[in-house]
mmCIF file of all heavy atoms in Angstrom:
data_model
loop_
_atom_site.group_PDB
_atom_site.id
_atom_site.type_symbol
_atom_site.label_atom_id
_atom_site.label_comp_id
_atom_site.label_asym_id
_atom_site.label_seq_id
_atom_site.Cartn_x
_atom_site.Cartn_y
_atom_site.Cartn_z
ATOM 1 N N GLY M 41 160.004 66.057 147.009
ATOM 2 C CA GLY M 41 160.040 64.718 146.462
ATOM 3 C C GLY M 41 159.701 63.741 147.566
ATOM 4 O O GLY M 41 159.604 64.118 148.735
ATOM 5 N N SER M 42 159.489 62.495 147.201
ATOM 6 C CA SER M 42 159.177 61.486 148.204
ATOM 7 C C SER M 42 159.561 60.118 147.680
ATOM 8 O O SER M 42 160.086 59.996 146.578
ATOM 9 C CB SER M 42 157.686 61.528 148.550
ATOM 10 O OG SER M 42 156.909 61.206 147.417
ATOM 11 N N GLY M 43 159.264 59.118 148.469
ATOM 12 C CA GLY M 43 159.531 57.740 148.079
ATOM 13 C C GLY M 43 160.524 57.066 148.991
ATOM 14 O O GLY M 43 161.506 57.670 149.426
ATOM 15 N N GLU M 44 160.217 55.827 149.290
ATOM 16 C CA GLU M 44 161.094 55.016 150.133
ATOM 17 C C GLU M 44 161.851 54.018 149.263
ATOM 18 O O GLU M 44 161.360 53.635 148.211
ATOM 19 C CB GLU M 44 160.265 54.274 151.195
ATOM 20 C CG GLU M 44 159.640 55.180 152.234
ATOM 21 C CD GLU M 44 160.641 55.969 153.066
ATOM 22 O OE1 GLU M 44 161.841 55.582 153.126
ATOM 23 O OE2 GLU M 44 160.244 56.978 153.642
ATOM 24 N N PRO M 45 163.034 53.655 149.647
ATOM 25 C CA PRO M 45 163.712 53.937 150.906
ATOM 26 C C PRO M 45 164.514 55.241 150.896
ATOM 27 O O PRO M 45 165.179 55.580 151.866
ATOM 28 C CB PRO M 45 164.651 52.740 151.071
ATOM 29 C CG PRO M 45 165.036 52.403 149.652
ATOM 30 C CD PRO M 45 163.790 52.689 148.827
ATOM 31 N N ASP M 46 164.429 55.987 149.792
ATOM 32 C CA ASP M 46 165.274 57.178 149.638
ATOM 33 C C ASP M 46 164.980 58.260 150.672
ATOM 34 O O ASP M 46 165.908 58.876 151.210
ATOM 35 C CB ASP M 46 165.142 57.740 148.223
ATOM 36 C CG ASP M 46 165.645 56.755 147.186
ATOM 37 O OD1 ASP M 46 166.773 56.262 147.351
ATOM 38 O OD2 ASP M 46 164.907 56.455 146.242
ATOM 39 N N MET M 47 163.717 58.512 150.966
ATOM 40 C CA MET M 47 163.372 59.550 151.935
ATOM 41 C C MET M 47 163.971 59.229 153.308
ATOM 42 O O MET M 47 164.579 60.100 153.939
ATOM 43 C CB MET M 47 161.855 59.716 152.036
ATOM 44 C CG MET M 47 161.428 60.783 153.037
ATOM 45 S SD MET M 47 161.953 62.451 152.585
ATOM 46 C CE MET M 47 160.642 62.872 151.473
ATOM 47 N N SER M 48 163.860 58.002 153.745
ATOM 48 C CA SER M 48 164.430 57.606 155.046
ATOM 49 C C SER M 48 165.945 57.763 155.039
ATOM 50 O O SER M 48 166.534 58.228 156.012
ATOM 51 C CB SER M 48 164.056 56.166 155.392
ATOM 52 O OG SER M 48 162.672 56.071 155.616
ATOM 53 N N ARG M 49 166.584 57.370 153.929
ATOM 54 C CA ARG M 49 168.045 57.508 153.819
ATOM 55 C C ARG M 49 168.467 58.966 153.953
ATOM 56 O O ARG M 49 169.400 59.304 154.683
ATOM 57 C CB ARG M 49 168.520 56.939 152.471
ATOM 58 C CG ARG M 49 170.036 56.948 152.316
ATOM 59 C CD ARG M 49 170.520 56.630 150.919
ATOM 60 N NE ARG M 49 170.423 57.797 150.067
ATOM 61 C CZ ARG M 49 169.561 57.964 149.080
ATOM 62 N NH1 ARG M 49 168.704 57.031 148.776
ATOM 63 N NH2 ARG M 49 169.542 59.065 148.365
ATOM 64 N N LEU M 50 167.746 59.856 153.267
ATOM 65 C CA LEU M 50 168.096 61.282 153.299
ATOM 66 C C LEU M 50 167.820 61.902 154.664
ATOM 67 O O LEU M 50 168.588 62.746 155.130
ATOM 68 C CB LEU M 50 167.346 62.027 152.199
ATOM 69 C CG LEU M 50 167.732 61.612 150.779
ATOM 70 C CD1 LEU M 50 166.827 62.292 149.762
ATOM 71 C CD2 LEU M 50 169.196 61.907 150.494
ATOM 72 N N LYS M 51 166.760 61.491 155.309
ATOM 73 C CA LYS M 51 166.472 62.005 156.657
ATOM 74 C C LYS M 51 167.528 61.536 157.657
ATOM 75 O O LYS M 51 167.940 62.300 158.529
ATOM 76 C CB LYS M 51 165.066 61.616 157.093
ATOM 77 C CG LYS M 51 164.007 62.437 156.368
ATOM 78 C CD LYS M 51 162.616 62.148 156.874
ATOM 79 C CE LYS M 51 161.622 63.107 156.208
ATOM 80 N NZ LYS M 51 160.261 62.915 156.698
ATOM 81 N N ARG M 52 167.984 60.283 157.516
ATOM 82 C CA ARG M 52 169.061 59.795 158.391
ATOM 83 C C ARG M 52 170.345 60.579 158.146
ATOM 84 O O ARG M 52 171.046 60.962 159.094
ATOM 85 C CB ARG M 52 169.305 58.302 158.158
ATOM 86 C CG ARG M 52 168.290 57.393 158.818
ATOM 87 C CD ARG M 52 168.728 55.918 158.809
ATOM 88 N NE ARG M 52 169.113 55.426 157.495
ATOM 89 C CZ ARG M 52 168.271 54.896 156.607
ATOM 90 N NH1 ARG M 52 166.989 54.782 156.887
ATOM 91 N NH2 ARG M 52 168.724 54.460 155.442
ATOM 92 N N LEU M 53 170.651 60.846 156.882
ATOM 93 C CA LEU M 53 171.840 61.636 156.550
ATOM 94 C C LEU M 53 171.730 63.034 157.154
ATOM 95 O O LEU M 53 172.688 63.542 157.750
ATOM 96 C CB LEU M 53 172.004 61.735 155.025
ATOM 97 C CG LEU M 53 173.142 62.623 154.519
ATOM 98 C CD1 LEU M 53 174.497 62.123 155.000
ATOM 99 C CD2 LEU M 53 173.101 62.705 152.992
ATOM 100 N N THR M 54 170.566 63.648 157.039
ATOM 101 C CA THR M 54 170.335 64.987 157.594
ATOM 102 C C THR M 54 170.543 64.985 159.104
ATOM 103 O O THR M 54 171.196 65.885 159.650
ATOM 104 C CB THR M 54 168.908 65.451 157.237
ATOM 105 O OG1 THR M 54 168.786 65.497 155.811
ATOM 106 C CG2 THR M 54 168.608 66.817 157.811
#
Side-chain angles (χ1 to χ4, degrees):
S42 63
E44 292 298 341
D46 297 309
M47 180 64 83
S48 293
R49 184 190 80 251
L50 295 174
K51 286 185 174 182
R52 282 192 308 272
L53 175 61
T54 299

